[in-house]
Amino acid sequence: MLLITGGTGQNGRATLSEFIREKRNVRVLVRSLEKASGLGLDKFPQVELVQGDMGKPGTLQAALAGIERVLMISSPTPDMLDTQCRFIDACKSNNVRHVIKFSGAESGIGFDPSRFRFTQMHEDIEDYLEGSGLAWTHVRPSQFMQVYLREAGDVAKEGVLRLPFGEIELSPIDVSDIAKVTYRLLREGGHEGVSLDMTGPEALTMSDIAERIAAATGAPVRYEPITARERRERLLASGMPPSLVDALDEQLAERLARPKSRVDLSAHAMFGIWPTTFAEFAKRHAAAFRPGV
Ligand SMILES: NC(=O)c1ccc[n+]([C@@H]2O[C@H](COP(=O)([O-])OP(=O)(O)OC[C@H]3O[C@@H](n4cnc5c(N)ncnc54)[C@H](OP(=O)(O)O)[C@@H]3O)[C@@H](O)[C@H]2O)c1
């Protein structure tokens, strides 16, 4: 049996969609059955929902019983390191064989992991997993294209993409490309002891991204650079937890110091997956970015 964690979140759900499309059985760990049901995850006969908390090994016996391989994802919160290390402990004591760690790696050339707390936490979790004696595979995507959907309100209302990225490049990746890889890793196994970095197919400036959104919606969109302080205030006003805003400030400082971005499509090539372009992503989400009528 195979297990997905983070099934109510963005990447867990995207991986689950692959199982549903292929009509393959999978177990999904959720903290709240009610939330999972609200998302419609209880509607598929091939999906077995089991409740548990990754940070509390005592709640995980039912979820981990008979599991061969697991995709480990949890939220980017200050307790991510502890949550995932406790989950690895539970996998070990419940005889799981192979953990696929959903990790992350910036596409900025020369990005220093020690300067961004989430990359550092991912490195520490990867080290913990590698030292656990379990088989492991790390999947390390770059920035998700879906991050730009957070800006859809301003784009639709004012035709402006407001971000503090100056003229730097990023190589964002579509979450559904990552899900095709995590699905294949879960289903097929293998690739043990391997780290798979993944980016999207192009290094893009924010002006490039604005241009692609405009082409998809048919309405003008311009990039308006804002300062780090302006972005910080906007995020705090939107209700984002201050610890996450602090983390994004760290990431921003490192990104601004490393303006060039790499493209790594080796995992796409390994699994024969078409790398979704930002233009295709924007077309798929054009309704969210398009001005209201
Ligand atoms: N944003 C980016 O551009 C980017 C790029 C590369 C990598 N990453 C990494 O991607 C990961 C986040 O992926 P995502 O966007 O799919 O996350 P997400 O949408 O925030 O979903 C997180 C999932 O983890 C579950 N979860 C959290 N704590 C849990 C616990 N203690 N026990 C059981 N389930 C728990 C959540 O369940 P509930 O519904 O119960 O909360 C939710 O289903 C982070 O590690 C982040 O560093 C992000």
Side-chain angles (χ1 to χ4, degrees), residues 113-186:
S114 71
R115 293 179 185 274
F116 175 41
R117 67 187 75 177
F118 284 115
T119 314
Q120 184 64 58
M121 278 191 242
H122 282 308
E123 286 202 353
D124 292 347
I125 296 162
E126 289 182 2
D127 288 347
Y128 192 80
L129 176 57
E130 288 175 28
S132 70
L134 296 167
W136 57 269
T137 306
H138 306 320
V139 179
R140 298 178 179 149
S142 61
Q143 182 195 47
F144 308 146
M145 288 182 184
Q146 278 71 4
V147 163
Y148 294 89
L149 290 171
R150 286 191 208 136
E151 314 306 323
D154 278 3
V155 172
K157 270 194 226 109
E158 301 173 59
V160 182
L161 179 66
R162 285 194 187 92
L163 287 167
F165 296 137
E167 293 307 315
I168 67 160
E169 292 172 350
L170 294 167
S171 308
I173 180 167
D174 186 359
V175 160
S176 57
D177 289 9
I178 311 168
K180 291 188 176 89
V181 169
T182 49
Y183 170 73
R184 295 277 297 278
L185 288 171
L186 268 173

Side-chain angles (χ1 to χ4, degrees), residues 3-287:
L3 177 73
I4 297 176
T5 73
T8 53
Q10 177 164 236
N11 287 280
R13 263 199 287 168
T15 307
L16 180 56
S17 297
E18 297 293 316
F19 278 87
I20 292 166
R21 184 168 37 241
E22 298 293 327
K23 298 192 169 49
R24 298 288 183 179
N25 291 343
V26 69
R27 188 179 294 164
V28 179
L29 174 77
V30 294
R31 275 195 286 202
S32 157
L33 289 169
E34 202 183 344
K35 180 171 180 180
S37 157
L39 293 168
L41 303 188
D42 56 349
K43 292 197 175 65
F44 304 96
Q46 68 272 42
V47 176
E48 181 193 354
L49 293 176
V50 181
Q51 196 164 16
D53 186 319
M54 294 167 74
K56 297 180 183 148
T59 68
L60 293 169
Q61 266 175 339
L64 293 174
I67 292 295
E68 188 190 0
R69 260 187 306 285
V70 54
L71 174 63
M72 178 176 69
I73 308 177
S74 71
S75 317
T77 47
D79 61 358
M80 182 174 80
L81 174 60
D82 189 56
T83 299
Q84 296 196 8
C85 290
R86 296 297 70 76
F87 184 72
I88 292 164
D89 295 341
C91 286
K92 200 168 174 187
S93 49
N94 286 277
N95 302 315
V96 172
R97 222 188 62 70
H98 182 180
V99 175
I100 298 159
K101 153 83 180 126
F102 194 97
S103 193
E106 282 282 326
S107 57
I109 294 167
F111 194 94
D112 179 353
S114 71
R115 293 179 185 274
F116 175 41
R117 67 187 75 177
F118 284 115
T119 314
Q120 184 64 58
M121 278 191 242
H122 282 308
E123 286 202 353
D124 292 347
I125 296 162
E126 289 182 2
D127 288 347
Y128 192 80
L129 176 57
E130 288 175 28
S132 70
L134 296 167
W136 57 269
T137 306
H138 306 320
V139 179
R140 298 178 179 149
S142 61
Q143 182 195 47
F144 308 146
M145 288 182 184
Q146 278 71 4
V147 163
Y148 294 89
L149 290 171
R150 286 191 208 136
E151 314 306 323
D154 278 3
V155 172
K157 270 194 226 109
E158 301 173 59
V160 182
L161 179 66
R162 285 194 187 92
L163 287 167
F165 296 137
E167 293 307 315
I168 67 160
E169 292 172 350
L170 294 167
S171 308
I173 180 167
D174 186 359
V175 160
S176 57
D177 289 9
I178 311 168
K180 291 188 176 89
V181 169
T182 49
Y183 170 73
R184 295 277 297 278
L185 288 171
L186 268 173
R187 283 273 309 146
E188 295 165 14
H191 306 280
E192 292 174 15
V194 167
S195 302
L196 302 174
D197 282 21
M198 297 186 74
T199 73
E202 300 166 287
L204 301 168
T205 63
M206 294 306 112
S207 302
D208 295 332
I209 285 180
E211 202 177 276
R212 282 157 178 72
I213 297 173
T217 60
V221 180
R222 69 187 161 81
Y223 168 49
E224 185 181 293
I226 57 172
T227 63
R229 177 182 282 269
E230 281 173 295
R231 198 234 346 218
R232 185 177 172 82
E233 283 162 8
R234 285 163 67 91
L235 293 176
L236 289 170
S238 75
M240 187 178 278
S243 64
L244 185 51
V245 178
D246 290 345
L248 292 179
D249 280 348
E250 292 169 3
Q251 182 190 43
L252 172 62
E254 193 59 16
R255 281 179 174 172
L256 291 173
R258 322 273 174 189
K260 289 289 169 196
S261 197
R262 75 201 155 89
V263 166
D264 185 341
L265 301 177
S266 50
H268 287 82
M270 186 182 289
F271 292 99
I273 293 163
W274 169 259
T276 305
T277 63
F278 201 94
E280 290 165 333
F281 166 81
K283 202 169 163 192
R284 201 167 81 226
H285 293 281

